[in-house]
Amino acid sequence: MSAAPGLLRGRSPGLTLARRSLALILLCLLLLPFADLRIITVDPWGELWRMALGFAWPDFMALESPLRAIVLTVSVALWGTFIGAILGFPLALLFHHSRLVRGFCAFVRAIHELFWALLFLQVFGLSAVTALAALAIPYAGIFAKVYAEILELTPRAPNDALPSGVDRLSRFLYAELPLVWERLASYTRYRFECAMRASVLLGFVGLPTLGFYLESAFREGRFGEAGALLWIFYALVATLQWWGHRRLLLPLLVGALFFLGPWPDVDGELLWRFVSHDLWPAPLLEGNLPGLGAWLAGLPDLLPAIGNTLLLALMGTVGSLLLALLLWPLASRHFGRPWLGFGGRMLLVVVRSTPELMLAFIFLLMLGPSMLPAWLALALHNGALIAFLVARHADGLTLGMPNLPASGRYAYELLPRLYPNLLALICYRAEVIMRETALLGMLGVATLGFYIDSSFQYLMFDQAFFLLLVTAALNIAIDAISRRFRPREVPLDDPCSR
């Protein structure tokens, strides 16, 4: 991530950014009374204390054979990322040349991995195919978009220096790919870290990854065991740069194949019926337009669910912005002693490594079912991620007035130089926040995800698929709005922003 003051053009870029931010915050404040923020549990602080004790004194001895869950979590993440990259790379080559490819990629990445898992679960059951497809399909769309953006920034000089008779494939392999290979590999490594979190979350739909045992331990009040599982996950993420080194990639891929499973016996007729019949409204298949109107009238009242989804996404975005503004100095070398900065960075890494669904589940146990746990989870995860990136950018800046007090360095020296990138990061994360907002309905929050999960539970696949299409459309719309909202002149190439 890189930026410099002066990249933004116009008569008053700082004032424009401030107005955009204030407008977003004021809109959130105006709509906040419509959010259900009740605390329903009797003793939330007591519950928090018990969870904190479990995290501080994890009970590793209570774990029953965690190795299998760890290996399966890593194997699913590794192969899901690998297949997604293989599928996404050729799409990236066509991304800026085909509107159809861009639309397809936008659709598949707009649906969360857990919703894909619920879809494939109906045909392939609790199998490796469900887990791998749930990661590989949306990741293919994400890889296509980000790879295409990276390839678009390739310097043209080496390509122009080649003779005119050189074919397109040779130009790509020898004049373009070597220049961007490190950036492609860097983003792929980051996406694998994201896949680790997604693989854990697959346990929430029954797949025996770490998330399955985490959910069971939290739900049953075994907080010492839950703390041990969380520490194992954080250790996996923290040591990823060593055990996930590129020299070990091939052995890891081969070894992971022996731990993936079970592999389902696919019934071709059942699969075809599911795709061609079960996912579509019966009146549509019969060409019965009046009947289709009756089918639409039988859907749940979607307006409140859509409103809650959009409101929670707005709250999560504004909460992330405010928390990022408060937290980034904790990890910056310009504030406090070095050991304080190290501790701040570790805190931000832990919070950003914990998936939003897991955070929301923990807050749900503490506070009860309302929008408050979901809001806290979205704001904490994304705010910590953005604060970490902003602090890393701040550490690369040289102070022009080093003798200012800490408040002066923050308000007058650093924040004006960092804020364009911070706002751009918030806009980049808006699409991700929207995806997560819909997903949090699986925990009982009245967003679209609540009705999607309920439709799958009652085997109403046509209704579930329609709601997934609505969710995808909302996510694509939010992505388009955020592209117009963010500062266009700020170059932002940090992969963590996607």
Side-chain angles (χ1 to χ4, degrees), residues 31-108:
L31 297 177
L32 200 59
F34 296 98
D36 178 13
L37 301 177
R38 293 173 296 167
I39 297 177
I40 299 175
T41 53
V42 176
D43 185 20
W45 294 110
E47 199 72 14
L48 175 62
W49 177 248
R50 288 188 287 273
M51 290 183 185
L53 286 178
F55 188 76
W57 286 277
D59 188 0
F60 290 96
M61 301 304 296
L63 301 179
E64 297 181 4
S65 303
L67 184 60
R68 168 67 182 172
I70 295 170
V71 173
L72 183 61
T73 300
V74 174
S75 300
V76 169
L78 186 63
W79 273 96
T81 305
F82 181 72
I83 297 171
I86 293 297
L87 295 176
F89 192 80
L91 292 173
L93 301 179
L94 302 172
F95 192 83
H96 292 300
H97 304 286
S98 171
R99 184 174 297 177
L100 181 63
V101 170
R102 292 196 299 274
F104 171 76
C105 293
F107 171 73
V108 297

Side-chain angles (χ1 to χ4, degrees), residues 348-429:
L348 295 181
V349 167
V350 166
V351 176
R352 81 179 184 93
S353 298
T354 308
E356 292 99 319
L357 186 66
M358 182 63 66
L359 286 172
F361 182 70
I362 295 171
F363 286 128
L364 182 73
L365 295 176
M366 290 171 46
L367 306 172
S370 70
M371 294 176 72
L372 183 58
W375 186 18
L376 292 174
L378 289 168
L380 278 174
H381 175 86
N382 292 282
L385 172 59
I386 293 168
F388 181 83
L389 296 175
V390 172
R392 191 167 68 182
H393 180 207
D395 287 348
L397 298 179
T398 302
L399 294 179
M401 295 177 286
N403 295 325
L404 285 176
S407 58
R409 289 197 300 274
Y410 179 89
Y412 300 109
E413 174 77 13
L414 290 171
L415 189 59
R417 301 163 69 182
L418 296 170
Y419 195 72
N421 284 85
L422 191 153
L423 187 60
L425 279 166
I426 286 289
C427 294
Y428 271 111
R429 295 296 297 180

Side-chain angles (χ1 to χ4, degrees), residues 77-145:
L78 186 63
W79 273 96
T81 305
F82 181 72
I83 297 171
I86 293 297
L87 295 176
F89 192 80
L91 292 173
L93 301 179
L94 302 172
F95 192 83
H96 292 300
H97 304 286
S98 171
R99 184 174 297 177
L100 181 63
V101 170
R102 292 196 299 274
F104 171 76
C105 293
F107 171 73
V108 297
R109 72 172 184 267
I111 298 176
H112 197 278
E113 296 92 323
L114 258 66
F115 288 147
W116 284 112
L118 286 174
L119 194 63
F120 292 116
L121 195 64
Q122 315 309 318
V123 178
F124 303 116
L126 295 172
S127 69
V129 174
T130 296
L132 294 178
L135 266 62
I137 289 179
Y139 280 21
I142 296 171
F143 275 125
K145 178 186 178 183

